[in-house]
Amino acid sequence: MGESDRKRYNCWIGAMKSFYLETFGCQMNVHDSEKVIGTLEQRGYAQVDTADAADLVLYNTCSIRDKAEQKVFHRLQEGKRVKGKVFGVLGCVAQQEGEKIFERAPHVSLVVGSASYTKLGELLVRIEAGERKVTGLSLDTEDTFETPLTRRDNPHRAYITIIEGCDKSCAYCVVPFTRGPERSRTSQSVIDETAKLASSGYSEIQLLGQNVNSYRDPSPAGWDFARLLEAVGSVPGIRRVRFTTSHPRDFVKEIIDAIDRTETLCNQVHLPVQSGSSRVLAAMQRQYTRDQYMQRIEWMKNAKRDIAISTDIIVGFPGETDEDFEHTLHLLDEVEYDSIFSFKYSQRPNTPALKLEDQIPEEEKSRRLTILQERQRAIQMRRNTNLVGGRQEVLVEGSNSSTGQWIGRTSQNRILNFTTAPRPDGTVIPRERMIGNYLPVRVTRAGPNSLVGECAIAV
Ligand code: 5AD
Ligand code: SF4
Protein backbone atom coordinates (compact mmCIF):
# COMPACT_ATOMS: atom_id res chain seq x y z
CA MET A 1 0.00 0.00 0.00
CA GLY A 2 1.38 3.46 -0.93
CA GLU A 3 1.58 6.32 1.60
CA SER A 4 -1.55 8.08 0.29
CA ASP A 5 -3.49 4.84 0.31
CA ARG A 6 -2.35 4.22 3.86
CA LYS A 7 -3.56 7.66 4.94
CA ARG A 8 -6.91 7.10 3.30
CA TYR A 9 -7.12 3.66 4.86
CA ASN A 10 -6.35 4.99 8.34
CA CYS A 11 -8.86 7.74 7.81
CA TRP A 12 -11.44 5.07 6.93
CA ILE A 13 -10.68 3.28 10.17
CA GLY A 14 -11.20 6.46 12.18
CA ALA A 15 -14.40 7.52 10.45
CA MET A 16 -15.93 4.15 9.81
CA LYS A 17 -18.43 2.83 9.15
CA SER A 18 -20.73 1.99 6.38
CA PHE A 19 -20.99 -1.35 4.67
CA TYR A 20 -22.47 -2.81 1.54
CA LEU A 21 -23.26 -6.51 1.40
CA GLU A 22 -24.23 -8.44 -1.70
CA THR A 23 -25.42 -12.01 -1.34
CA PHE A 24 -25.13 -14.77 -3.93
CA GLY A 25 -26.58 -18.26 -3.83
CA CYS A 26 -28.99 -20.22 -1.68
CA GLN A 27 -31.33 -19.42 1.21
CA MET A 28 -28.60 -20.53 3.64
CA ASN A 29 -26.45 -17.69 2.34
CA VAL A 30 -29.34 -15.23 2.48
CA HIS A 31 -29.90 -16.13 6.13
CA ASP A 32 -26.17 -16.07 6.94
CA SER A 33 -26.15 -12.54 5.53
CA GLU A 34 -29.01 -11.57 7.85
CA LYS A 35 -26.86 -12.69 10.78
CA VAL A 36 -23.74 -10.96 9.40
CA ILE A 37 -25.70 -7.71 8.98
CA GLY A 38 -26.90 -7.93 12.59
CA THR A 39 -23.32 -8.48 13.78
CA LEU A 40 -22.02 -5.49 11.78
CA GLU A 41 -24.80 -3.17 12.92
CA GLN A 42 -24.09 -4.04 16.51
CA ARG A 43 -20.48 -2.96 15.91
CA GLY A 44 -21.70 0.45 14.73
CA TYR A 45 -21.70 -0.10 10.97
CA ALA A 46 -24.57 1.27 8.90
CA GLN A 47 -25.75 -0.59 5.81
CA VAL A 48 -25.81 1.34 2.52
CA ASP A 49 -27.35 0.42 -0.83
CA THR A 50 -24.36 0.70 -3.13
CA ALA A 51 -20.75 -0.42 -3.03
CA ASP A 52 -19.77 3.14 -4.05
CA ALA A 53 -21.23 4.61 -0.87
CA ALA A 54 -19.63 2.02 1.45
CA ASP A 55 -16.38 1.91 3.39
CA LEU A 56 -16.57 -1.84 3.72
CA VAL A 57 -17.75 -3.88 0.73
CA LEU A 58 -18.65 -7.51 1.41
CA TYR A 59 -19.66 -10.31 -0.91
CA ASN A 60 -21.29 -13.40 0.56
CA THR A 61 -20.45 -15.89 -2.12
CA CYS A 62 -21.63 -19.15 -3.66
CA SER A 63 -19.47 -21.78 -5.37
CA ILE A 64 -22.03 -24.50 -6.08
CA ARG A 65 -21.48 -24.09 -9.84
CA ASP A 66 -18.68 -22.44 -11.76
CA LYS A 67 -20.92 -19.64 -13.05
CA ALA A 68 -21.79 -18.48 -9.53
CA GLU A 69 -18.11 -18.38 -8.63
CA GLN A 70 -17.16 -16.44 -11.75
CA LYS A 71 -19.80 -13.82 -10.94
CA VAL A 72 -18.05 -13.08 -7.66
CA PHE A 73 -14.63 -12.65 -9.26
CA HIS A 74 -16.24 -10.40 -11.83
CA ARG A 75 -17.62 -8.20 -9.04
CA LEU A 76 -14.21 -8.12 -7.39
CA GLN A 77 -12.59 -7.00 -10.64
CA GLU A 78 -15.09 -4.12 -10.83
CA GLY A 79 -14.05 -3.04 -7.32
CA LYS A 80 -10.32 -3.19 -8.02
CA ARG A 81 -10.07 0.37 -9.26
CA VAL A 82 -11.70 1.91 -6.20
CA LYS A 83 -9.17 3.03 -3.62
CA GLY A 84 -9.79 3.56 0.08
CA LYS A 85 -12.41 0.87 0.53
CA VAL A 86 -11.98 -2.39 2.36
CA PHE A 87 -13.19 -5.48 0.49
CA GLY A 88 -14.19 -8.77 2.05
CA VAL A 89 -15.17 -12.13 0.60
CA LEU A 90 -17.42 -14.31 2.75
CA GLY A 91 -19.06 -17.70 2.29
CA CYS A 92 -18.36 -20.61 -0.02
CA VAL A 93 -15.86 -19.05 -2.46
CA ALA A 94 -13.94 -17.68 0.53
CA GLN A 95 -13.71 -21.16 2.05
CA GLN A 96 -12.89 -22.84 -1.25
CA GLU A 97 -10.24 -20.43 -2.51
CA GLY A 98 -8.88 -19.23 0.86
CA GLU A 99 -5.72 -17.12 0.71
CA LYS A 100 -5.56 -17.53 -3.07
CA ILE A 101 -8.16 -14.76 -3.19
CA PHE A 102 -5.53 -12.27 -1.96
CA GLU A 103 -3.40 -13.14 -5.03
CA ARG A 104 -6.25 -13.02 -7.50
CA ALA A 105 -7.78 -9.85 -6.02
CA PRO A 106 -5.06 -8.04 -4.03
CA HIS A 107 -7.46 -5.29 -2.91
CA VAL A 108 -9.35 -7.84 -0.76
CA SER A 109 -8.51 -7.67 2.96
CA LEU A 110 -10.92 -10.13 4.54
CA VAL A 111 -11.66 -13.75 3.60
CA VAL A 112 -14.09 -15.63 5.85
CA GLY A 113 -15.79 -19.01 5.34
CA SER A 114 -19.24 -19.61 6.84
CA ALA A 115 -17.91 -21.97 9.51
CA SER A 116 -15.97 -19.00 10.97
CA TYR A 117 -18.77 -16.42 11.19
CA THR A 118 -18.88 -16.87 14.96
CA LYS A 119 -15.45 -15.17 14.92
CA LEU A 120 -16.54 -12.33 12.64
CA GLY A 121 -16.45 -9.79 15.49
CA GLU A 122 -12.77 -10.53 16.29
CA LEU A 123 -11.84 -10.54 12.62
CA LEU A 124 -13.43 -7.10 12.15
CA VAL A 125 -11.44 -5.76 15.10
CA ARG A 126 -8.26 -6.78 13.28
CA ILE A 127 -9.46 -5.15 10.06
CA GLU A 128 -10.32 -1.98 11.98
CA ALA A 129 -6.81 -2.03 13.49
CA GLY A 130 -5.40 -1.85 9.95
CA GLU A 131 -4.48 -5.47 9.21
CA ARG A 132 -4.63 -6.10 5.47
CA LYS A 133 -4.94 -9.87 5.13
CA VAL A 134 -7.33 -11.30 7.65
CA THR A 135 -8.75 -14.82 7.26
CA GLY A 136 -11.24 -17.08 9.03
CA LEU A 137 -11.02 -20.40 7.26
CA SER A 138 -11.11 -23.12 9.88
CA LEU A 139 -13.63 -25.90 9.22
CA ASP A 140 -13.05 -27.92 12.40
CA THR A 141 -15.81 -26.15 14.24
CA GLU A 142 -18.50 -27.60 16.43
CA ASP A 143 -20.38 -24.31 16.51
CA THR A 144 -23.38 -23.16 14.61
CA PHE A 145 -23.62 -19.44 13.87
CA GLU A 146 -26.32 -18.13 16.16
CA THR A 147 -26.86 -14.53 17.07
CA PRO A 148 -29.75 -12.65 18.62
CA LEU A 149 -28.68 -9.77 16.34
CA THR A 150 -30.05 -11.35 13.14
CA ARG A 151 -31.50 -8.53 10.97
CA ARG A 152 -34.45 -10.03 9.11
CA ASP A 153 -35.79 -8.03 6.18
CA ASN A 154 -39.11 -9.80 5.72
CA PRO A 155 -41.45 -9.03 8.68
CA HIS A 156 -43.67 -12.10 8.17
CA ARG A 157 -41.45 -14.97 7.05
CA ALA A 158 -38.28 -15.91 8.93
CA TYR A 159 -35.49 -18.39 8.25
CA ILE A 160 -34.15 -20.47 11.11
CA THR A 161 -31.04 -22.61 10.67
CA ILE A 162 -31.41 -25.98 12.41
CA ILE A 163 -28.32 -27.74 11.05
CA GLU A 164 -25.19 -26.51 9.30
CA GLY A 165 -22.71 -28.39 7.12
CA CYS A 166 -23.08 -31.72 5.32
CA ASP A 167 -21.71 -35.20 6.06
CA LYS A 168 -22.65 -36.67 2.69
CA SER A 169 -20.15 -36.81 -0.14
CA CYS A 170 -22.11 -36.49 -3.36
CA ALA A 171 -19.50 -36.78 -6.10
CA TYR A 172 -20.31 -33.43 -7.76
CA CYS A 173 -20.80 -31.29 -4.67
CA VAL A 174 -18.48 -28.73 -3.17
CA VAL A 175 -20.64 -28.07 -0.09
CA PRO A 176 -18.94 -30.53 2.30
CA PHE A 177 -15.68 -28.67 1.55
CA THR A 178 -17.14 -25.18 1.96
CA ARG A 179 -19.53 -25.61 4.87
CA GLY A 180 -17.81 -28.35 6.84
CA PRO A 181 -19.29 -31.21 8.86
CA GLU A 182 -22.84 -31.36 10.19
CA ARG A 183 -23.65 -29.46 13.38
CA SER A 184 -27.22 -29.41 14.74
CA ARG A 185 -28.65 -26.84 17.13
CA THR A 186 -30.48 -27.89 20.26
CA SER A 187 -34.23 -28.33 19.83
CA GLN A 188 -34.78 -25.94 22.73
CA SER A 189 -32.90 -23.10 20.99
CA VAL A 190 -34.90 -23.68 17.79
CA ILE A 191 -38.22 -23.67 19.67
CA ASP A 192 -37.22 -20.59 21.69
CA GLU A 193 -36.27 -18.71 18.51
CA THR A 194 -39.57 -19.73 16.87
CA ALA A 195 -41.58 -18.54 19.88
CA LYS A 196 -39.69 -15.24 19.92
CA LEU A 197 -40.32 -14.71 16.22
CA ALA A 198 -44.01 -15.57 16.62
CA SER A 199 -44.34 -13.02 19.41
CA SER A 200 -42.81 -10.36 17.15
CA GLY A 201 -45.39 -11.04 14.44
CA TYR A 202 -43.73 -13.63 12.20
CA SER A 203 -46.20 -16.25 11.04
CA GLU A 204 -44.13 -18.31 8.59
CA ILE A 205 -40.95 -20.18 9.50
CA GLN A 206 -38.55 -21.80 7.06
CA LEU A 207 -36.24 -24.33 8.66
CA LEU A 208 -32.89 -24.41 6.90
CA GLY A 209 -30.04 -26.84 6.56
CA GLN A 210 -27.97 -28.54 3.88
CA ASN A 211 -29.73 -31.73 4.89
CA VAL A 212 -32.45 -31.00 7.44
CA ASN A 213 -33.48 -34.68 7.53
CA SER A 214 -30.27 -35.62 9.31
CA TYR A 215 -31.02 -33.13 12.11
CA ARG A 216 -30.20 -34.67 15.47
CA ASP A 217 -30.79 -32.73 18.66
CA PRO A 218 -27.43 -32.59 20.50
CA SER A 219 -29.19 -32.14 23.86
CA PRO A 220 -30.37 -35.14 25.95
CA ALA A 221 -33.87 -34.75 24.43
CA GLY A 222 -32.29 -36.22 21.25
CA TRP A 223 -35.13 -35.20 18.92
CA ASP A 224 -35.01 -36.17 15.28
CA PHE A 225 -36.18 -33.92 12.45
CA ALA A 226 -39.82 -35.09 12.33
CA ARG A 227 -40.20 -34.41 16.05
CA LEU A 228 -38.65 -30.95 15.75
CA LEU A 229 -40.81 -30.12 12.74
CA GLU A 230 -44.01 -30.94 14.57
CA ALA A 231 -42.92 -28.97 17.62
CA VAL A 232 -42.09 -25.87 15.53
CA GLY A 233 -45.47 -26.18 13.83
CA SER A 234 -47.17 -26.26 17.23
CA VAL A 235 -45.72 -22.96 18.49
CA PRO A 236 -48.67 -20.57 19.04
CA GLY A 237 -48.85 -17.86 16.38
CA ILE A 238 -47.07 -19.88 13.69
CA ARG A 239 -49.29 -20.47 10.66
CA ARG A 240 -46.85 -21.95 8.16
CA VAL A 241 -43.67 -24.01 8.39
CA ARG A 242 -41.51 -25.04 5.44
CA PHE A 243 -38.14 -26.77 5.36
CA THR A 244 -35.30 -27.08 2.90
CA THR A 245 -33.42 -29.06 1.85
CA SER A 246 -33.99 -32.78 2.17
CA HIS A 247 -31.95 -35.85 1.23
CA PRO A 248 -33.85 -38.97 0.08
CA ARG A 249 -31.57 -41.29 2.02
CA ASP A 250 -32.50 -39.62 5.33
CA PHE A 251 -36.09 -38.76 4.45
CA VAL A 252 -38.28 -40.94 6.67
CA LYS A 253 -42.02 -41.59 6.63
CA GLU A 254 -42.39 -39.90 10.04
CA ILE A 255 -41.89 -36.56 8.24
CA ILE A 256 -44.99 -37.20 6.12
CA ASP A 257 -46.90 -38.39 9.18
CA ALA A 258 -45.99 -35.13 10.94
CA ILE A 259 -47.28 -33.12 7.94
CA ASP A 260 -50.51 -35.13 7.95
CA ARG A 261 -51.01 -34.45 11.67
CA THR A 262 -50.01 -30.80 11.80
CA GLU A 263 -51.95 -28.32 9.71
CA THR A 264 -49.37 -25.57 10.04
CA LEU A 265 -46.75 -27.68 8.23
CA CYS A 266 -47.07 -26.63 4.59
CA ASN A 267 -48.11 -29.29 2.12
CA GLN A 268 -44.91 -28.90 0.17
CA VAL A 269 -41.75 -31.03 0.11
CA HIS A 270 -38.57 -30.36 -1.84
CA LEU A 271 -36.82 -33.70 -2.37
CA PRO A 272 -33.80 -33.44 -4.68
CA VAL A 273 -33.43 -36.52 -6.90
CA GLN A 274 -30.55 -35.32 -9.16
CA SER A 275 -31.06 -38.15 -11.70
CA GLY A 276 -33.68 -40.73 -12.66
CA SER A 277 -31.06 -43.35 -13.46
CA SER A 278 -29.89 -45.66 -10.65
CA ARG A 279 -26.58 -46.08 -12.49
CA VAL A 280 -25.95 -42.32 -12.44
CA LEU A 281 -27.18 -42.05 -8.84
CA ALA A 282 -24.53 -44.64 -7.86
CA ALA A 283 -21.84 -42.69 -9.74
CA MET A 284 -23.03 -39.54 -7.96
CA GLN A 285 -22.64 -41.38 -4.60
CA ARG A 286 -26.20 -40.41 -3.67
CA GLN A 287 -26.76 -43.55 -1.54
CA TYR A 288 -30.21 -44.42 -2.93
CA THR A 289 -31.67 -46.03 -6.02
CA ARG A 290 -34.46 -44.78 -8.21
CA ASP A 291 -36.81 -47.32 -6.58
CA GLN A 292 -35.94 -46.13 -3.09
CA TYR A 293 -36.58 -42.56 -4.18
CA MET A 294 -39.93 -43.55 -5.68
CA GLN A 295 -40.92 -45.16 -2.40
CA ARG A 296 -40.62 -41.73 -0.74
CA ILE A 297 -42.70 -40.23 -3.52
CA GLU A 298 -45.36 -42.88 -2.85
CA TRP A 299 -45.46 -41.90 0.84
CA MET A 300 -46.20 -38.34 -0.24
CA LYS A 301 -48.79 -39.31 -2.82
CA ASN A 302 -50.56 -41.51 -0.28
CA ALA A 303 -50.60 -38.79 2.37
CA LYS A 304 -53.88 -37.27 3.56
CA ARG A 305 -52.64 -33.80 2.60
CA ASP A 306 -52.20 -32.84 -1.05
CA ILE A 307 -48.42 -32.46 -0.92
CA ALA A 308 -46.73 -30.48 -3.69
CA ILE A 309 -43.39 -32.04 -4.64
CA SER A 310 -40.37 -30.27 -6.11
CA THR A 311 -36.85 -31.44 -6.89
CA ASP A 312 -33.34 -30.63 -8.13
CA ILE A 313 -31.95 -32.32 -11.24
CA ILE A 314 -28.46 -32.28 -12.72
CA VAL A 315 -28.07 -33.12 -16.41
CA GLY A 316 -24.84 -34.19 -18.05
CA PHE A 317 -23.11 -35.77 -15.06
CA PRO A 318 -19.96 -37.54 -16.38
CA GLY A 319 -20.92 -40.76 -18.13
CA GLU A 320 -24.65 -39.93 -18.37
CA THR A 321 -25.85 -41.74 -21.52
CA ASP A 322 -28.90 -40.95 -23.63
CA GLU A 323 -30.57 -43.89 -21.93
CA ASP A 324 -29.79 -42.53 -18.44
CA PHE A 325 -31.21 -39.19 -19.49
CA GLU A 326 -34.35 -40.91 -20.78
CA HIS A 327 -34.78 -42.42 -17.30
CA THR A 328 -34.73 -38.89 -15.86
CA LEU A 329 -37.36 -37.74 -18.36
CA HIS A 330 -39.54 -40.72 -17.46
CA LEU A 331 -39.13 -39.88 -13.80
CA LEU A 332 -40.60 -36.43 -14.47
CA ASP A 333 -43.65 -38.08 -16.08
CA GLU A 334 -44.00 -40.56 -13.27
CA VAL A 335 -43.70 -38.14 -10.35
CA GLU A 336 -45.35 -35.14 -12.01
CA TYR A 337 -43.43 -32.60 -9.98
CA ASP A 338 -45.04 -29.27 -9.15
CA SER A 339 -41.72 -27.56 -9.90
CA ILE A 340 -38.08 -28.41 -10.51
CA PHE A 341 -34.71 -26.69 -10.36
CA SER A 342 -32.48 -28.05 -13.11
CA PHE A 343 -28.79 -27.54 -13.75
CA LYS A 344 -26.05 -28.52 -16.14
CA TYR A 345 -23.33 -30.45 -14.32
CA SER A 346 -20.46 -28.13 -13.45
CA GLN A 347 -17.00 -29.38 -12.49
CA ARG A 348 -16.05 -28.27 -8.98
CA PRO A 349 -12.63 -28.26 -7.33
CA ASN A 350 -11.80 -31.05 -4.85
CA THR A 351 -14.90 -33.09 -5.71
CA PRO A 352 -14.63 -36.81 -6.61
CA ALA A 353 -16.44 -36.32 -9.95
CA LEU A 354 -13.70 -33.97 -11.14
CA LYS A 355 -11.50 -36.95 -12.01
CA LEU A 356 -14.21 -38.91 -13.80
CA GLU A 357 -13.67 -39.56 -17.47
CA ASP A 358 -16.36 -39.19 -20.05
CA GLN A 359 -17.30 -35.61 -19.33
CA ILE A 360 -20.33 -34.57 -21.40
CA PRO A 361 -19.75 -31.76 -23.93
CA GLU A 362 -21.30 -28.41 -23.02
CA GLU A 363 -23.63 -28.35 -26.07
CA GLU A 364 -24.99 -31.77 -25.17
CA LYS A 365 -25.65 -30.65 -21.58
CA SER A 366 -27.51 -27.61 -22.91
CA ARG A 367 -29.54 -29.79 -25.27
CA ARG A 368 -30.58 -32.12 -22.45
CA LEU A 369 -31.41 -29.22 -20.14
CA THR A 370 -33.71 -27.66 -22.73
CA ILE A 371 -35.53 -30.96 -23.34
CA LEU A 372 -35.92 -31.51 -19.60
CA GLN A 373 -37.25 -28.02 -18.96
CA GLU A 374 -39.73 -28.20 -21.84
CA ARG A 375 -41.04 -31.54 -20.60
CA GLN A 376 -41.47 -30.14 -17.08
CA ARG A 377 -43.12 -26.95 -18.33
CA ALA A 378 -45.94 -28.99 -19.88
CA ILE A 379 -46.36 -30.96 -16.65
CA GLN A 380 -46.55 -27.77 -14.58
CA MET A 381 -49.05 -26.22 -16.97
CA ARG A 382 -51.24 -29.28 -16.60
CA ARG A 383 -50.96 -29.41 -12.81
CA ASN A 384 -51.62 -25.71 -12.39
CA THR A 385 -54.63 -25.85 -14.73
CA ASN A 386 -56.14 -28.53 -12.47
CA LEU A 387 -56.33 -25.90 -9.72
CA VAL A 388 -58.50 -23.48 -11.71
CA GLY A 389 -61.93 -23.05 -10.12
CA GLY A 390 -60.70 -24.08 -6.65
CA ARG A 391 -59.81 -21.97 -3.62
CA GLN A 392 -56.36 -21.52 -2.12
CA GLU A 393 -55.29 -19.72 1.01
CA VAL A 394 -52.44 -17.30 0.32
CA LEU A 395 -50.06 -15.33 2.44
CA VAL A 396 -49.94 -11.90 0.81
CA GLU A 397 -46.26 -11.14 0.12
CA GLY A 398 -46.33 -8.06 -2.10
CA SER A 399 -47.95 -6.27 -4.98
CA ASN A 400 -47.25 -5.67 -8.64
CA SER A 401 -47.80 -2.02 -9.48
CA SER A 402 -47.77 -2.60 -13.24
CA THR A 403 -50.60 -5.17 -13.17
CA GLY A 404 -52.39 -3.88 -10.07
CA GLN A 405 -52.35 -7.39 -8.61
CA TRP A 406 -51.43 -8.59 -5.15
CA ILE A 407 -48.81 -11.34 -4.95
CA GLY A 408 -49.70 -14.26 -2.72
CA ARG A 409 -48.11 -17.63 -1.98
CA THR A 410 -50.07 -20.81 -1.38
CA SER A 411 -49.21 -23.48 1.17
CA GLN A 412 -47.99 -25.58 -1.78
CA ASN A 413 -45.53 -22.76 -2.53
CA ARG A 414 -47.23 -21.56 -5.71
CA ILE A 415 -47.34 -17.88 -6.59
CA LEU A 416 -50.95 -16.69 -6.94
CA ASN A 417 -51.40 -13.17 -8.35
CA PHE A 418 -54.83 -11.84 -7.48
CA THR A 419 -57.21 -8.90 -7.37
CA THR A 420 -59.62 -8.04 -4.56
CA ALA A 421 -63.24 -7.00 -4.55
CA PRO A 422 -63.60 -3.20 -4.73
CA ARG A 423 -64.17 -1.53 -1.36
CA PRO A 424 -67.71 -0.17 -0.89
CA ASP A 425 -66.35 3.37 -0.42
CA GLY A 426 -64.16 3.09 -3.53
CA THR A 427 -60.87 3.68 -1.66
CA VAL A 428 -57.64 1.82 -2.41
CA ILE A 429 -56.56 -0.83 0.13
CA PRO A 430 -53.44 0.34 1.94
CA ARG A 431 -50.47 -2.00 1.39
CA GLU A 432 -49.93 -2.51 5.11
CA ARG A 433 -53.50 -3.83 5.48
CA MET A 434 -52.79 -6.51 2.89
CA ILE A 435 -49.16 -7.66 3.20
CA GLY A 436 -48.75 -10.40 5.79
CA ASN A 437 -52.45 -11.31 5.71
CA TYR A 438 -53.80 -14.78 4.97
CA LEU A 439 -56.68 -14.66 2.49
CA PRO A 440 -58.80 -17.14 0.54
CA VAL A 441 -58.44 -16.67 -3.22
CA ARG A 442 -60.38 -18.31 -6.04
CA VAL A 443 -58.11 -19.46 -8.86
CA THR A 444 -59.29 -18.19 -12.26
CA ARG A 445 -56.35 -18.85 -14.57
CA ALA A 446 -53.13 -20.88 -14.67
CA GLY A 447 -49.71 -20.44 -16.23
CA PRO A 448 -46.75 -22.83 -16.03
CA ASN A 449 -45.14 -20.91 -13.18
CA SER A 450 -47.99 -19.13 -11.40
CA LEU A 451 -51.73 -18.81 -10.91
CA VAL A 452 -54.14 -15.89 -11.25
CA GLY A 453 -57.17 -15.39 -9.01
CA GLU A 454 -59.72 -13.21 -7.26
CA CYS A 455 -60.36 -12.61 -3.60
CA ALA A 456 -64.00 -11.95 -2.80
CA ILE A 457 -63.30 -10.43 0.61
CA ALA A 458 -63.30 -6.63 0.77
CA VAL A 459 -60.28 -5.96 3.01
N1 5AD B 1 -23.11 -28.95 -10.88
C1 5AD B 1 -24.42 -28.72 -11.15
N2 5AD B 1 -25.36 -28.64 -10.19
C2 5AD B 1 -24.95 -28.84 -8.91
N3 5AD B 1 -25.64 -28.85 -7.76
C3 5AD B 1 -24.77 -29.08 -6.75
N4 5AD B 1 -23.53 -29.22 -7.23
C4 5AD B 1 -23.61 -29.09 -8.58
C5 5AD B 1 -22.67 -29.15 -9.63
N5 5AD B 1 -21.38 -29.39 -9.40
C6 5AD B 1 -27.10 -28.68 -7.70
C7 5AD B 1 -27.76 -29.91 -7.08
C8 5AD B 1 -28.16 -29.43 -5.73
C9 5AD B 1 -28.44 -27.97 -5.99
C10 5AD B 1 -28.47 -27.10 -4.79
O1 5AD B 1 -27.40 -27.59 -6.86
O2 5AD B 1 -28.90 -30.22 -7.86
O3 5AD B 1 -29.28 -30.12 -5.21
FE1 SF4 C 1 -24.04 -31.45 -1.58
FE2 SF4 C 1 -25.00 -33.94 -1.42
FE3 SF4 C 1 -24.49 -32.53 0.84
FE4 SF4 C 1 -26.54 -31.82 -0.72
S1 SF4 C 1 -26.32 -33.78 0.39
S2 SF4 C 1 -24.99 -30.45 0.18
S3 SF4 C 1 -25.79 -32.28 -2.77
S4 SF4 C 1 -22.97 -33.25 -0.65
Side-chain angles (χ1 to χ4, degrees):
M1 186 167 12
E3 191 48 36
S4 68
D5 281 350
R6 196 181 308 281
K7 271 197 198 129
R8 216 178 278 137
Y9 191 74
N10 288 339
C11 164
W12 173 79
I13 290 162
M16 227 166 2
K17 326 192 183 187
S18 61
F19 75 96
Y20 169 77
L21 172 62
E22 184 172 352
T23 306
F24 300 85
C26 63
Q27 287 153 318
M28 273 316 249
N29 267 14
V30 172
H31 186 38
D32 281 345
S33 284
E34 292 180 334
K35 299 183 212 175
V36 167
I37 291 170
T39 309
L40 283 160
E41 287 184 340
Q42 198 242 355
R43 294 192 54 78
Y45 290 77
Q47 190 174 15
V48 291
D49 291 338
T50 61
D52 277 348
D55 305 307
L56 174 62
V57 178
L58 297 173
Y59 297 110
N60 187 3
T61 62
C62 169
S63 63
I64 195 95
R65 284 168 291 275
D66 186 53
K67 231 192 217 162
E69 184 179 336
Q70 292 318 319
K71 221 190 262 174
V72 173
F73 280 106
H74 192 77
R75 278 287 192 291
L76 285 172
Q77 287 308 316
E78 286 167 7
K80 202 158 97 183
R81 293 176 295 274
V82 193
K83 297 262 170 75
K85 286 187 198 301
V86 171
F87 285 85
V89 179
L90 312 179
C92 291
V93 176
Q95 190 65 49
Q96 183 189 291
E97 297 298 301
E99 306 204 348
K100 278 190 268 170
I101 293 179
F102 295 133
E103 288 158 34
R104 218 167 141 183
H107 57 300
V108 169
S109 306
L110 181 68
V111 174
V112 188
S114 66
S116 300
Y117 288 157
T118 44
K119 303 199 193 77
L120 194 62
E122 303 158 34
L123 300 173
L124 285 168
V125 170
R126 288 170 52 196
I127 285 284
E128 287 159 15
E131 261 189 71
R132 286 290 284 121
K133 283 184 185 173
V134 176
T135 56
L137 294 169
S138 163
L139 273 183
D140 59 355
T141 178
E142 291 181 2
D143 295 334
T144 51
F145 178 36
E146 296 318 319
T147 164
L149 308 164
T150 307
R151 230 273 319 273
R152 293 181 163 92
D153 269 340
N154 184 316
H156 307 288
R157 190 185 56 215
Y159 295 125
I160 298 184
T161 312
I162 61 167
I163 179 169
E164 283 179 16
C166 181
D167 283 351
K168 294 278 185 293
S169 50
C170 301
Y172 50 80
C173 188
V174 82
V175 167
F177 307 95
T178 60
R179 285 192 169 266
E182 285 176 358
R183 293 95 68 197
S184 291
R185 286 173 70 180
T186 63
S187 54
Q188 193 58 54
S189 74
V190 174
I191 299 298
D192 289 348
E193 189 171 357
T194 307
K196 208 164 131 212
L197 288 164
S199 68
S200 9
Y202 289 91
S203 64
E204 179 172 322
I205 299 294
Q206 280 197 30
L207 302 178
L208 295 182
Q210 233 52 246
N211 175 6
V212 290
N213 308 147
S214 67
Y215 172 83
R216 181 59 61 175
D217 186 355
S219 72
W223 289 7
D224 63 8
F225 176 63
R227 180 83 200 271
L228 180 77
L229 188 60
E230 201 162 350
V232 170
S234 306
V235 170
I238 295 303
R239 302 246 332 227
R240 283 185 174 181
V241 182
R242 302 182 194 278
F243 54 93
T244 191
T245 188
S246 288
H247 190 292
R249 162 94 186 198
D250 303 321
F251 191 92
V252 292
K253 173 130 186 328
E254 284 73 15
I255 299 170
I256 302 299
D257 296 341
I259 295 175
D260 267 346
R261 271 197 303 269
T262 322
E263 215 189 319
T264 49
L265 304 182
C266 287
N267 42 0
Q268 176 225 341
V269 170
H270 182 69
L271 193 62
V273 65
Q274 314 299 359
S275 168
S277 152
S278 290
R279 208 184 65 80
V280 173
L281 288 173
M284 286 177 164
Q285 295 168 206
R286 286 290 287 177
Q287 305 180 13
Y288 55 85
T289 61
R290 178 193 172 111
D291 285 350
Q292 286 165 332
Y293 181 83
M294 284 311 295
Q295 183 191 32
R296 277 120 188 103
I297 297 293
E298 284 311 305
W299 294 339
M300 290 190 245
K301 299 215 164 181
N302 293 331
K304 292 195 207 98
R305 309 272 301 278
D306 182 11
I307 297 177
I309 310 169
S310 55
T311 201
D312 292 343
I313 292 176
I314 298 176
V315 298
F317 186 76
E320 184 189 68
T321 61
D322 282 338
E323 196 188 337
D324 292 320
F325 178 59
E326 277 298 318
H327 287 311
T328 301
L329 291 176
H330 285 145
L331 183 87
L332 291 191
D333 295 338
E334 212 175 319
V335 178
E336 295 213 288
Y337 289 105
D338 293 274
S339 69
I340 67 166
F341 297 89
S342 49
F343 314 99
K344 289 189 271 184
Y345 168 70
S346 164
Q347 285 185 294
R348 304 315 295 132
N350 307 316
T351 57
L354 195 61
K355 294 191 205 80
L356 292 179
E357 285 171 11
D358 206 4
Q359 298 283 334
I360 309 293
E362 213 42 43
E363 315 83 74
E364 179 57 17
K365 286 190 233 174
S366 301
R367 191 186 72 83
R368 291 182 190 177
L369 189 70
T370 307
I371 295 173
L372 184 90
Q373 291 177 342
E374 277 172 9
R375 184 86 143 233
Q376 176 59 23
R377 194 181 154 86
I379 293 171
Q380 278 175 218
M381 190 66 221
R382 212 166 46 238
R383 288 189 68 74
N384 286 350
T385 304
N386 285 341
L387 299 173
V388 173
R391 267 215 310 193
Q392 300 275 329
E393 184 186 63
V394 299
L395 166 61
V396 187
E397 294 190 341
S399 61
N400 182 335
S401 53
S402 60
T403 62
Q405 288 169 313
W406 298 102
I407 304 168
R409 190 179 293 271
T410 69
S411 171
Q412 289 189 324
N413 208 28
R414 285 189 168 83
I415 294 292
L416 205 175
N417 300 302
F418 66 100
T419 45
T420 47
R423 290 174 131 188
D425 62 2
T427 54
V428 177
I429 310 169
R431 257 178 82 81
E432 55 287 3
R433 284 284 312 267
M434 283 293 281
I435 313 264
N437 259 332
Y438 289 83
L439 292 174
V441 177
R442 197 170 63 84
V443 180
T444 53
R445 269 189 297 134
N449 298 312
S450 62
L451 304 169
V452 177
E454 287 165 2
C455 175
I457 296 176
V459 182

